[in-house]
């Protein structure tokens, strides 16, 4: 941002050669020329930051050309990158608000929504970015979602009838398969998996749907009876919740409990080989054993996209990504998607975690991961309930 000659009477945005930016000049001098110079200076700073962001993209984006041609794909990429670059909480939120206002003002008042399709798309991206805001610090989202190629293979490794399954007995195979489904479909935390009771599966008749409804109750009711050296725990109050489960998980869970769990001297759902409650270290070892069975390509994908390692929490990241992807793909408004994420994953009302996932979803660094078809990658897991 610079001060131009007296002819322009105030702040403006200029390109590297000192030439005023076309769209920004219209927005600052024509649409908002009545505002005080100090206010217009903030507008110019916000627009200028967006131009600079566009020029840093790979490949660079001509923001004026994108605005005037209504190239919404390029504009979404620039807005997303601009959101992620906001480091200071107060200034970052103010600049983000003005940057959105600049883009939508030009599209609505200069380009206009000449077609019904353009109008719908413009409304969509306005809703999409309405609830996003910069974090109070430089983004450092370590998203460890499992790449599709690795997720596909993990299902193959864990499937009880798979020749690749490394676990020795049918009881272990079914126990570990149920754990995989819970981690992937429900995004349970490690402590939540280990705290489940054998009576966690609940069923009732749904008069509205005209059939049985099944859900998993996470309530921590057995935690006071936990004799493990490293006791299981629930992270917070919102972690106590009831989650609808898929037919695939229902069938696997019923098979495990009725045929392979046995009659251990405790009420926890999952047992060790010695019939004690399953330990956290054993759960870690189950995942590590499965990873050892993956192909070179799958391991390389994990190295590139998941920090080179998998944990129970990696599956939680994956479940959140899949659910958010389905919400966005279905056209759900962003604030509604955030509202649904919170109770499902056990986040408190003021938790920033949904916004971390939302920002990461739009982060160009993760574009390759999001472009992969998670629906295809989940194969037999696609019966999971993600709505």
């Amino acid at each position: 941002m610079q001060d131009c000659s007296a002819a322009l009477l105030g702040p403006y945005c200029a390109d590297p050669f000192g030439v005023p930016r076309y769209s920004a000049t219209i927005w600052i001098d024509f649409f908002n020329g009545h505002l005080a110079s100090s206010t217009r200076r903030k507008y110019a700073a916000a627009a200028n930051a967006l131009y600079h962001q566009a020029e840093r993209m790979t490949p660079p984006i001509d923001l004026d050309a994108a605005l005037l041609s209504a190239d919404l794909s390029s504009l979404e990429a620039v807005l997303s990158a601009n959101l992620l670059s906001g480091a200071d909480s107060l200034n970052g939120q103010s600049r983000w608000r003005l940057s959105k206002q600049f883009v939508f003002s030009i599209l609505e008042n200069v380009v206009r929504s000449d077609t019904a399709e353009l109008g719908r798309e413009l409304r969509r991206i306005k809703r999409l970015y309405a609830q996003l805001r910069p974090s109070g610090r430089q983004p450092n989202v370590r998203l460890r979602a499992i790449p599709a190629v690795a997720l596909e293979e993990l299902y193959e490794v864990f499937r009880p009838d798979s020749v690749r399954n490394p676990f020795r007995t049918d009881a272990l195979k079914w126990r570990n398969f149920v754990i995989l489904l819970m981690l992937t479909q429900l995004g349970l935390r490690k402590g939540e998996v280990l705290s489940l009771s054998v009576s966690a599966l609940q069923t009732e008749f749904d008069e509205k749907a005209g059939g049985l409804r099944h859900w998993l109750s996470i309530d921590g009711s057995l935690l006071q009876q936990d004799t493990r050296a490293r006791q299981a725990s629930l992270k917070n109050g919102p972690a106590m919740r009831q989650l609808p489960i898929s037919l695939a998980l229902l069938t696997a869970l019923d098979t495990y409990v009725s045929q392979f769990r046995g009659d251990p001297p405790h009420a926890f759902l999952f047992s060790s080989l010695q019939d004690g409650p399953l330990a956290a270290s054993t759960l870690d070892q189950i995942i590590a054993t499965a990873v050892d069975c993956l192909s070179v390509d799958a391991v390389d994908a994990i190295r590139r996209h998941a920090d080179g390692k998998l944990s129970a929490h990696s599956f939680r990241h994956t479940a959140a990504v899949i659910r958010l992807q389905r919400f966005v793909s279905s056209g759900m408004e962003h604030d509604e998607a955030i509202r649904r994420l919170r109770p499902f994953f056990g986040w408190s009302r003021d938790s920033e975690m949904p916004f971390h996932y939302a920002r990461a979803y739009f982060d160009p660094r993760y574009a390759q991961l999001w472009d992969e078809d998670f629906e295809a990658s989940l194969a037999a897991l696609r019966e999971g309930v993600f709505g």
Side-chain angles (χ1 to χ4, degrees):
M1 182 190 71
Q2 307 175 25
D3 281 329
C4 194
S5 63
L8 286 179
L9 299 176
Y12 77 113
C13 295
D15 65 16
F17 302 101
V19 178
R21 310 273 197 179
Y22 183 77
S23 299
T25 299
I26 294 175
W27 185 55
I28 297 166
D29 288 340
F30 287 88
F31 294 164
N32 296 290
H34 61 286
L35 299 176
S37 180
S38 59
T39 301
R40 291 164 62 222
R41 187 180 300 277
K42 295 177 182 177
Y43 281 37
N48 203 48
L50 211 58
Y51 279 103
H52 288 168
Q53 184 65 64
E55 291 165 350
R56 292 195 299 269
M57 303 289 286
T58 304
I61 292 175
D62 184 330
L63 185 58
D64 276 330
L67 284 166
L68 298 177
S69 65
D71 182 354
L72 300 187
S73 177
S74 294
L75 294 174
E76 284 190 66
V78 175
L79 282 171
S80 300
N82 180 256
L83 168 67
L84 292 161
S85 68
D88 178 80
S89 178
L90 182 60
N91 291 337
Q93 290 187 34
S94 175
R95 184 166 295 185
W96 167 242
R97 176 180 57 80
L98 291 175
S99 295
K100 291 189 297 181
Q101 184 178 325
F102 166 48
V103 169
F104 296 133
S105 179
I106 295 297
L107 289 174
E108 293 171 336
N109 295 289
V110 177
V111 180
R112 299 186 182 277
S113 302
D114 294 329
T115 67
E117 182 180 0
L118 178 58
R120 285 195 299 271
E121 282 297 292
L122 182 56
R123 289 191 294 273
R124 179 186 66 80
I125 67 171
K126 286 189 73 173
R127 290 196 303 267
L128 200 60
Y129 289 93
Q131 298 298 316
L132 290 172
R133 62 178 184 272
S135 61
R137 57 185 181 280
Q138 191 67 24
N140 185 29
V141 180
R142 304 297 294 174
L143 199 67
R144 297 184 298 276
I146 304 170
V149 62
L151 196 59
E152 181 84 27
E153 285 199 29
L154 282 167
Y155 176 79
E156 175 65 22
V157 169
F158 273 97
R159 207 182 68 222
D161 62 344
S162 172
V163 296
R164 298 177 62 182
N165 193 306
F167 305 108
R168 293 187 293 109
T169 68
D170 287 341
L172 292 178
K173 291 176 181 179
W174 278 98
R175 180 198 68 184
N176 298 343
F177 183 58
V178 171
I179 290 174
L180 172 74
L181 294 182
M182 287 184 174
L183 293 174
T184 307
Q185 292 188 358
L186 304 181
L188 298 188
R189 300 179 178 97
K190 183 193 299 187
E192 293 168 356
V193 171
L194 299 176
S195 69
L196 288 172
S197 72
V198 71
S199 59
L201 177 62
Q202 305 287 315
T203 302
E204 70 176 11
F205 184 79
D206 188 334
E207 294 184 2
K208 184 176 182 181
L212 294 177
R213 185 171 67 92
H214 310 279
W215 70 90
L216 199 68
S217 179
I218 304 170
D219 56 20
S221 59
L222 293 181
L223 294 180
Q224 291 185 345
Q225 305 174 31
D226 196 349
T227 59
R228 287 170 286 204
R230 181 181 171 187
Q231 294 182 334
S233 64
L234 301 184
K235 185 174 182 179
N236 50 31
M240 291 187 289
R241 59 201 190 277
Q242 295 180 334
L243 300 177
I245 65 173
S246 68
L247 178 61
L249 177 51
L250 173 65
T251 303
L253 183 55
D254 181 67
T255 301
Y256 164 67
V257 172
S258 63
Q259 300 182 35
F260 299 107
R261 180 179 177 271
D263 188 24
H266 62 80
F268 288 99
L269 178 60
F270 298 114
S271 296
S272 68
L273 281 172
Q274 294 75 33
D275 276 345
L278 188 69
S281 59
T282 304
L283 180 52
D284 294 336
Q285 186 57 47
I286 291 169
I287 296 172
T289 300
V291 170
D292 287 342
C293 299
L294 297 180
S295 68
V296 173
D297 288 343
V299 171
D300 183 60
I302 292 171
R303 178 186 60 79
R304 288 183 287 111
H305 293 299
D307 289 346
K309 58 184 178 181
L310 289 189
S311 66
H313 219 69
S314 302
F315 291 90
R316 183 171 169 81
H317 285 290
T318 306
V321 168
I322 293 172
R323 186 169 289 270
L324 179 60
Q325 187 181 55
R326 288 178 65 92
F327 286 161
V328 172
S329 299
S330 70
M332 183 180 295
E333 294 191 13
H334 189 268
D335 55 347
E336 175 63 12
I338 293 295
R339 187 189 70 79
R340 292 196 184 191
L341 284 176
R342 291 185 186 280
F344 192 91
F345 288 95
W347 289 318
S348 63
R349 184 172 299 179
D350 58 351
S351 171
E352 287 289 312
M353 285 307 299
F355 293 102
H356 286 322
Y357 284 103
R359 280 192 292 268
Y361 181 89
F362 295 112
D363 188 340
R365 292 174 297 177
Y366 294 104
Q368 182 179 354
L369 184 62
W370 304 154
D371 287 344
E372 295 178 357
D373 187 354
F374 273 98
E375 282 299 311
S377 76
L378 285 173
L381 296 180
R382 64 172 54 132
E383 294 182 55
V385 177
F386 295 112

